[in-house]
């Protein structure tokens, strides 16, 4: 790291808002279960098709949780692995390729590593080939004490790429020693692209029967049933009211070229970049007794904000997290890896090089926001230096 780079990093972190006091230490000492849901987009939440809820189990979890409905995925070319990285390190992924492949052995001030200092053990559960996304190597740097992958699970009902999420959840809980503080990271797989395994799954998608979007909706209805089983299991094991439970989606499920037209039709919105940009959201749910249960928070936010929010709830500092603590901020923004920036006032969509007014969807005057935009985009550069120069070593 050059002197100049070190100065840029220091400058960024010293200009951060100091850790807030709202809900600080509210879940101190509790175990953490975090679910990363494959291809789960926000538009599905509380939505019905042919009179039926698509995600009834998530919807009822949300009624009992704090819900963020303006939360964007920031994952890029490393897809699932980028989302894991964002949530566990609060750094941005890389512009090209997956961090897990390119910098799998850096020093990361990650959630597992921070929790280790608090006496926690941590494990990741994902019922697929352990070498995929270079997880077994990258997880050592992220700090997971254990990684349960495909061969560590008993065979069970299969969907798509492997063991059903329901089987993965149940077996993951069976493997967890709940007698001491733990962090379990559950990475789902059932609803994986291209979703055509769900073509004949029994859920009525009406006019979207046989389409890419229709299959996706069916697949997410199946994945939601698995979430229902997870919640049941947590309740049966006395964990539902005694752990900090978080759930978010990893990235989009509908590529614009495949199901984009149908999605915008289903949503009843115009087919344009502004509407498309607003569809790049994933749900973020935090369930903890007494933590704003049943409330929805509209702060513009993203996956990079997960770690600092958890750190605040657990009552420890995460001074080198790039994201913001969502329980103590009124600054809504999300920087996407392609340099697009979403705030509560505008969306800068990098593909169009256009700033849209968030209220009207009309192109806004550039000059007004240019400085601010550049400041947000500079975060990507800081993150790149940290990763490429292994600056936390
Ligand atoms: C497989 C799974 C792949 O391990 O994580 O998901 P993807 O990155 O293709 O969304
Ligand atoms: Mn994925």
């Amino acid at each position: 790291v050059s002197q100049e780079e070190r100065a840029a990093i220091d400058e960024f972190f010293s200009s951060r808002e100091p850790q807030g006091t709202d809900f600080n230490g509210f879940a101190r000492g509790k175990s953490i279960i975090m679910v990363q849901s494959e291809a789960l987009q926000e538009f599905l939440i509380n939505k019905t098709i042919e009179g039926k809820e698509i995600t009834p189990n998530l919807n009822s979890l949300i009624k009992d949780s704090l819900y963020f409905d303006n939360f964007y995925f920031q994952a890029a070319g490393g897809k699932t692995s980028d989302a894991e990285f964002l949530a566990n390190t609060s750094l941005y992924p890389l512009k090209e390729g997956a961090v897990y492949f390119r910098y799998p052995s850096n020093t990361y001030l990650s959630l597992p590593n921070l929790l280790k200092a608090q006496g926690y053990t941590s494990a990741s559960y994902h019922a697929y080939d352990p070498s995929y996304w270079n997880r077994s190597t990258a997880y050592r740097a992220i700090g997971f004490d254990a990684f349960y992958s495909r061969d560590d699970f008993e065979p069970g009902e299969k969907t798509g790429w492997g063991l059903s999420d329901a089987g993965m959840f149940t077996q993951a809980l069976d493997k967890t020693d709940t007698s001491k503080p733990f962090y379990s990271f559950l990475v789902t797989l059932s609803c994986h692209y291209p979703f055509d395994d769900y073509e004949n799954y029994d859920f009525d998608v009406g006019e979207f029967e046989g389409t890419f979007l229709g299959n996706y909706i069916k697949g997410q209805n199946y994945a939601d049933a698995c979430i229902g089983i997870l919640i049941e299991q947590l309740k049966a094991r006395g964990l539902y009211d005694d752990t900090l439970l978080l759930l978010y989606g990893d990235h989009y499920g509908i590529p614009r070229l495949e199901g984009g037209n149908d999605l915008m039709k289903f949503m009843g919105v115009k087919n344009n970049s502004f509407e498309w940009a607003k569809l790049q959201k994933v749900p973020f749910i935090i369930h903890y007794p007494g933590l704003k249960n049943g409330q929805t928070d509209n702060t513009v936010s993203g996956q990079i904000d997960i770690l600092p929010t958890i750190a605040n709830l657990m009552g420890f500092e995460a001074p080198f997290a790039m994201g913001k603590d969502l329980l103590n901020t009124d600054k809504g923004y999300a920087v996407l890896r392609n340099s697009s920036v979403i705030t509560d006032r505008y969306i800068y969509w990098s593909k169009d090089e256009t700033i849209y007014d968030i209220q009207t969807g009309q192109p806004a005057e550039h000059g007004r926001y240019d400085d601010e935009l550049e400041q947000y985009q500079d975060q990507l550069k800081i993150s790149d230096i940290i990763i490429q120069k292994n600056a936390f070593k």
Side-chain angles (χ1 to χ4, degrees):
V1 192
S2 71
Q3 252 179 7
E4 212 178 300
E5 291 167 337
R6 182 62 68 191
I9 295 172
D10 290 347
E11 152 84 28
F12 173 78
F13 286 110
S14 60
S15 63
R16 312 249 64 203
E17 294 176 271
Q19 193 169 45
T21 51
D22 278 8
F23 294 98
N24 186 258
F26 198 67
R28 192 189 306 275
K30 294 294 180 182
S31 291
I32 303 173
I33 297 176
M34 184 146 75
V35 181
Q36 178 175 298
S37 264
E38 179 59 38
L40 178 68
Q41 288 191 220
E42 206 280 332
F43 75 87
L44 299 158
I45 300 300
N46 291 320
K47 185 73 92 249
T48 57
I49 187 162
E50 301 299 306
K52 285 229 171 75
E53 288 175 88
I54 300 169
T55 58
N57 293 290
L58 285 173
N59 298 347
S60 55
L61 174 63
I62 285 169
K63 282 201 191 86
D64 196 23
S65 302
L66 169 58
Y67 182 52
F68 292 88
D69 71 347
N70 245 329
F71 184 88
Y72 286 80
F73 72 82
Q74 293 158 304
K79 305 286 300 284
T80 306
S81 67
D82 278 357
E84 295 183 4
F85 182 76
L86 276 148
N88 283 287
T89 70
S90 194
L91 295 172
Y92 291 94
L94 298 171
K95 193 171 179 184
E96 254 121 47
V99 194
Y100 275 22
F101 275 113
R102 295 184 56 198
Y103 299 92
S105 305
N106 276 7
T107 298
Y108 292 115
L109 305 174
S110 59
L111 183 57
N113 285 332
L114 292 167
L115 285 167
K116 208 164 285 178
Q118 314 283 322
Y120 284 65
T121 51
S122 60
S124 178
Y125 302 82
H126 180 63
Y128 199 60
D129 181 346
S131 68
Y132 203 88
W133 287 128
N134 202 27
R135 281 188 179 96
S136 15
T137 305
Y139 275 177
R140 279 195 285 275
I142 304 287
F144 287 113
D145 298 305
F147 174 27
Y148 297 93
S149 66
R150 189 174 52 198
D151 297 339
D152 303 310
F153 291 89
E154 297 297 322
E157 190 190 333
K158 278 196 67 167
T159 53
W161 286 24
L163 177 66
S164 152
D165 291 346
M168 186 274 280
F169 290 145
T170 307
Q171 291 188 44
L173 293 175
D174 287 344
K175 293 178 193 298
T176 309
D177 176 1
T178 57
S179 69
K180 40 186 208 257
F182 64 88
Y183 162 41
S184 291
F185 185 47
L186 310 176
V187 181
T188 76
L189 191 58
S190 284
C191 190
H192 193 279
Y193 179 92
F195 320 115
D196 42 12
D197 286 332
Y198 295 97
E199 177 105 44
N200 299 314
Y201 171 74
D202 183 21
F203 184 71
D204 188 359
V205 294
E207 63 175 311
F208 298 105
E209 181 64 34
T211 66
F212 184 88
L213 178 68
N215 293 345
Y216 171 74
I217 289 175
K218 290 182 186 205
Q220 287 298 357
N221 177 260
Y222 174 81
D224 180 79
C226 296
I227 294 293
I229 289 165
L230 171 66
I231 301 296
E232 247 171 54
Q233 287 284 329
L234 292 174
K235 287 182 176 164
R237 294 168 199 241
L239 291 171
Y240 182 69
D241 284 325
D242 199 41
T243 52
L244 177 64
L245 173 66
L246 308 103
L247 184 148
Y248 63 92
D250 66 346
H251 51 71
Y252 68 89
I254 307 292
R256 191 156 183 183
L257 288 176
E258 263 167 304
N261 290 343
D262 275 347
L263 175 53
M264 290 188 265
K265 184 168 146 200
F266 176 59
M267 297 302 291
V269 298
K270 286 205 187 108
N271 190 340
N272 60 35
S273 302
F274 174 70
E275 295 297 343
W276 185 251
K278 287 195 295 175
L279 282 165
Q280 305 313 303
K281 291 177 200 173
V282 295
F284 179 41
I285 304 171
I286 308 180
H287 178 266
Y288 189 75
L291 178 67
K292 302 189 177 184
N293 305 112
Q295 294 185 35
T296 296
D297 186 312
N298 315 118
T299 307
V300 177
S301 49
Q303 291 161 329
I304 204 160
D305 303 325
I306 294 174
L307 166 55
T309 305
I310 295 177
N312 173 55
L313 281 165
M314 304 308 285
F316 59 79
E317 309 256 344
F320 296 104
M322 290 199 72
K324 53 192 181 292
D325 164 15
L326 296 178
L327 292 160
N328 286 282
T329 191
D330 46 18
K331 256 194 159 182
Y333 68 89
V335 181
L336 310 191
R337 184 61 250 202
N338 63 11
S339 296
S340 294
V341 176
I342 296 115
T343 75
D344 35 29
R345 287 155 292 136
Y346 59 85
I347 293 179
Y348 169 71
W349 197 239
S350 59
K351 275 205 193 76
D352 303 356
E353 294 182 28
T354 302
I355 300 177
Y356 299 98
D357 182 289
I358 200 89
Q359 299 300 336
T360 64
Q362 293 305 309
E365 223 182 290
H366 248 261
R368 235 173 110 192
Y369 297 124
D370 275 355
D371 287 350
E372 185 185 289
L373 196 56
E374 202 179 303
Q375 260 189 23
Y376 282 135
Q377 291 166 333
D378 277 350
Q379 291 195 12
L380 297 168
K381 291 189 202 152
I382 300 287
S383 181
D384 287 346
I385 297 171
I386 293 171
I387 296 169
Q388 285 162 7
K389 299 291 174 74
N390 195 8
F392 292 156
K393 196 174 156 198

